[in-house]
Amino acid sequence: MTNTLRHPAADPAEAVAFFAAELAFEADPDDVARDLEAGDTAGFRLVETRSREAFERARIPGAVNLPHWEVDAATTADWDRDLVYVCYCESSACNAATKGALKLSALGFRVKRLAGGITTWRAAGHPVEGTGLHGVTCDC
């Protein structure tokens, strides 16, 4: 038996449920970039969940900044509950987006996490704005 098949593949119906659920929780950077480029952002808003300093250094155009430790009912009181909030942070090695998404969902918002964070976004060549576009560090 090969290492690859040592654990059998899931039943197709179980695989459909698993992968559909995974897509319900994450947004693909390329999909988001295409939407931003087309000006088609109806229904979602990007939320940078790192520090304000990290946001100033490098951010995805159009994103709002709300550090995950500041997410509460007061800081989100005027947020549109009909939108989906796509949280992002530095990378998959950082969990600030997960912390922000958890807090937002606990407050009743619909959320997704941007797969790979701003590191994956930048590696794909998508636009970034900010004051220090070189040497971005995680201030999570």
Side-chain angles (χ1 to χ4, degrees), residues 72-104:
D72 60 27
T75 59
T76 60
D78 62 346
W79 285 26
D80 185 343
R81 292 191 174 270
D82 292 329
L83 294 177
V84 172
Y85 292 90
V86 179
C87 296
Y88 75 91
C89 59
E90 186 66 31
S91 70
S92 58
C94 171
N95 66 4
T98 302
K99 290 174 181 176
L102 172 62
K103 288 181 176 181
L104 287 171

Side-chain angles (χ1 to χ4, degrees), residues 31-44 61:
D31 291 341
V32 173
R34 280 191 286 277
D35 287 342
L36 291 176
E37 186 177 307
D40 188 12
T41 58
F44 77 93

